[in-house]
Amino acid sequence: MTDHRPIGVFDSGVGGLTVLAALREVLPNESLLYLGDTARVPYGNKGADTIQRYARGAVRFLVERDVKAVVVACNTASAYALPGIADEWEIPIIGVIEPVANAAVASSRSGHIGVIGTRATVRSGAYVRAIERAGQTHIVPLQQPCPLFVPLAEEGWTQGPIVEAVASEYLSAFQGSAIDTLILGCTHYPLLKVTITQTLQRLMGRSVEVLDSATATAAYVQEALRRQKALRQTESNASVVYFVTDEPQRFADTGAPYLNEPLEHVEHIDLVT
Ligand code: DGL
């Protein structure tokens, strides 16, 4: 059995490329359709209804292109729109919160877990619930919104004094806490991982395990497709096509560092929601 249909991946902007990169690593035979809703990024400071409406339209766009699964590679959309949207389609619709919450609970020795994300993700409480479902029922995770990280990542500002100053301001919320694991609860943040890890180490005076959703989510997708016998077995001609709701060239320029290669086949589309 082989299923040649592509996997759809969706984020508000370039952040979901961190998940796309992990998918390409774990599932090199799979073709991918990526949708970045770049005209409306950021989602993280919008209200629940707006985020749900945007996410619903984005998932529908990908499903209508005959994908065999959709990865909601955006924590904000995963927090507000799942499982609601997943129930509307027959193919697997997989979010990024549960995979990394499970990984964090498995990796934390003390059970003290920190979460950083957009304002909306933190406010939703989705990580608190996911971490509890993963078995960490006694210690409530410590959460900190970091709204300026998304525009910095979208601008390609990932290191240097300004990023360090912003990171210090946000991450000082964890100073003196017992966290041994920090979840990057936004798919844009892995681009700032070096700065985040070093700043946290400086503030805490010890190292903290920093986890992002990309690897854990890719493993989930692999398992979901394996269960459905929907993996593509052919070892050639896997393609990646990108759709964006704003200017393609800007997306290609900003996205290239996420994949360490130029982004080809970027098309502009309009989402009807
Ligand atoms: N990358 C997204 C996330 O994981 C969204 C960032 C945003 O649009 O605010 O939350």
Side-chain angles (χ1 to χ4, degrees), residues 11-12 15-16 41-45 73-77 118 121 150 185-188:
D11 181 42
S12 55
V41 68
Y43 282 12
N45 52 18
C74 172
N75 287 264
T76 311
T118 65
T121 297
V150 169
C186 172
T187 53
H188 280 73

Side-chain angles (χ1 to χ4, degrees), residues 14 16 33 41 43 55 67 72 99 101 106 123-124 138 143 170 180 193 198:
V14 289
L33 294 189
V41 68
Y43 282 12
V67 295
V72 180
R123 192 182 57 220
S124 74
H138 303 305
Q143 300 194 92
Y170 287 144
D180 65 359
K193 192 167 183 172
Q198 287 172 354

Side-chain angles (χ1 to χ4, degrees), residues 159-236:
Q159 289 187 35
I162 292 176
V163 189
E164 282 163 25
V166 174
S168 281
E169 183 73 26
Y170 287 144
L171 299 175
S172 61
F174 298 109
Q175 229 171 354
S177 79
I179 67 159
D180 65 359
T181 305
L182 179 76
I183 294 176
L184 303 186
C186 172
T187 53
H188 280 73
Y189 296 179
L191 219 63
L192 305 171
K193 192 167 183 172
V194 171
T195 303
I196 292 170
T197 306
Q198 287 172 354
T199 305
L200 203 53
Q201 163 116 32
R202 183 172 52 73
L203 291 168
M204 308 284 288
R206 60 181 168 83
S207 66
V208 169
E209 184 81 31
V210 177
L211 296 179
D212 66 66
S213 27
T215 315
T217 304
Y220 255 58
V221 175
Q222 182 180 37
E223 180 53 22
L225 294 180
R226 197 193 54 74
R227 267 201 315 270
Q228 302 220 331
K229 300 192 174 29
L231 287 164
R232 181 172 183 264
Q233 309 294 351
T234 318
E235 285 180 15
S236 63

